[in-house]
Amino acid sequence: MANKAQQPPHLHLAEVTASQFLDIWKHFDADGNGFIEGKELENFFRELETARRGAGVDPSNPIFREKMKEFMQKFDKNKDGRIEMSELAQILPTEENFLLCFREFVSSSAEFMAAWRRYDTDRSGYIEANELKGFLSDLLEKANRHYDDKKLQEYTQTILRMFDLNGDGKLGLSEMARLLPVQENFLLKFQGVKLTTEQFNAIFMFYDKDGNGYIDELELDALLRDLYQTNKKEVDVKNLAGYKQSIMTLSDGGKLYRSELEIVLCREPIV
């Protein structure tokens, strides 16, 4: 939890490094839930305004509220009233911020998933910390970003500080996907329809008619449509096609095995 007596770090800088970005994130995401929201968001905007203007800001002033509203309209890409990690990367003045590399690289979440699949070799939904450096190196190269070993090590350690909270040396797909632009992070679209292990097993068995342990693309399409209808969510055909493409990136020659789909649709992968 952030130390309230501590001054907000680095907001006055012309640009921030990867590790400084994480300091800022952890300071304002006081409850560690992955969002800056509510009082945290008000504190962040007040301190950001103070750092940029060099003067105190009164949150009770109507002008402050109006500026904050305009600020959120500009940066809250998915209009959920809170700031996510990828949205914060657009706010802070930086060329150094390594999160922007992911935007330059990712034209679709399918590319991120393809890179992930190469490193999650046992299909567990995790990559080991010692494989993370290679994973990040791949993404940086595809983004045509120049880096040296020292900088790559800094990026790797920053990612570990972000996501390996229990120190077990593993990083989860859904956690790493928070680095993606909000509109490209298809995993966020399933937050409202996540399944328990029991629910997932039942739905997978229903579509895996022959019991061979995998489903194909047509079966995945039907499964996703049913899932949306069951959860009373409107099916957007265009978006559904994109989600399906991203998920199928995890497949093996068009065969989507239980463990791959489980990463996307379950609350926690089975270990």
Side-chain angles (χ1 to χ4, degrees), residues 148-201:
D148 55 24
D149 286 342
K150 181 179 179 181
K151 189 58 62 179
L152 181 60
Q153 183 65 25
E154 180 192 351
Y155 294 163
T156 303
Q157 290 303 313
T158 300
I159 292 288
L160 285 172
R161 288 175 60 204
M162 283 179 178
F163 299 128
D164 187 20
L165 300 181
N166 62 0
D168 67 355
K170 296 179 181 179
L171 298 174
L173 172 65
S174 60
E175 295 171 322
M176 283 288 288
R178 286 165 54 196
L179 292 168
L180 296 172
V182 172
Q183 63 271 25
E184 288 295 342
N185 187 351
F186 79 101
L187 292 174
L188 292 175
K189 309 303 187 297
F190 293 98
Q191 283 185 338
V193 294
K194 289 285 188 178
L195 303 173
T196 64
T197 300
E198 292 76 14
Q199 290 170 330
F200 173 80
N201 287 337

Side-chain angles (χ1 to χ4, degrees), residues 108-258:
S108 73
S109 55
E111 294 185 40
F112 175 85
M113 299 292 279
W116 176 273
R117 190 180 187 280
R118 284 197 296 275
Y119 288 94
D120 181 21
T121 53
D122 61 359
R123 308 295 187 264
S124 65
Y126 298 95
I127 58 173
E128 303 296 324
N130 59 1
E131 296 173 330
L132 176 61
K133 185 181 289 188
F135 176 77
L136 293 177
S137 179
D138 266 9
L139 292 182
L140 289 164
E141 287 177 6
K142 288 181 182 297
N144 294 317
R145 282 294 292 260
H146 299 291
Y147 62 91
D148 55 24
D149 286 342
K150 181 179 179 181
K151 189 58 62 179
L152 181 60
Q153 183 65 25
E154 180 192 351
Y155 294 163
T156 303
Q157 290 303 313
T158 300
I159 292 288
L160 285 172
R161 288 175 60 204
M162 283 179 178
F163 299 128
D164 187 20
L165 300 181
N166 62 0
D168 67 355
K170 296 179 181 179
L171 298 174
L173 172 65
S174 60
E175 295 171 322
M176 283 288 288
R178 286 165 54 196
L179 292 168
L180 296 172
V182 172
Q183 63 271 25
E184 288 295 342
N185 187 351
F186 79 101
L187 292 174
L188 292 175
K189 309 303 187 297
F190 293 98
Q191 283 185 338
V193 294
K194 289 285 188 178
L195 303 173
T196 64
T197 300
E198 292 76 14
Q199 290 170 330
F200 173 80
N201 287 337
I203 197 171
F204 191 90
M205 288 176 63
F206 178 82
Y207 285 97
D208 180 21
K209 301 292 188 185
D210 55 7
N212 57 10
Y214 64 84
I215 60 176
D216 60 25
E217 188 169 349
L218 289 176
E219 291 168 332
L220 176 62
D221 186 279
L223 184 154
L224 293 178
R225 289 174 185 272
D226 282 356
L227 191 60
Y228 265 66
Q229 291 169 1
T230 300
N231 286 271
K232 297 181 171 58
K233 290 181 176 288
E234 185 177 343
V235 178
D236 184 316
V237 176
K238 181 179 179 181
N239 286 339
L240 190 66
Y243 304 158
K244 183 174 62 176
Q245 179 186 9
S246 296
I247 296 172
M248 287 303 296
T249 306
L250 292 172
S251 70
D252 184 4
K255 299 176 180 179
L256 186 66
Y257 287 91
R258 176 189 296 265

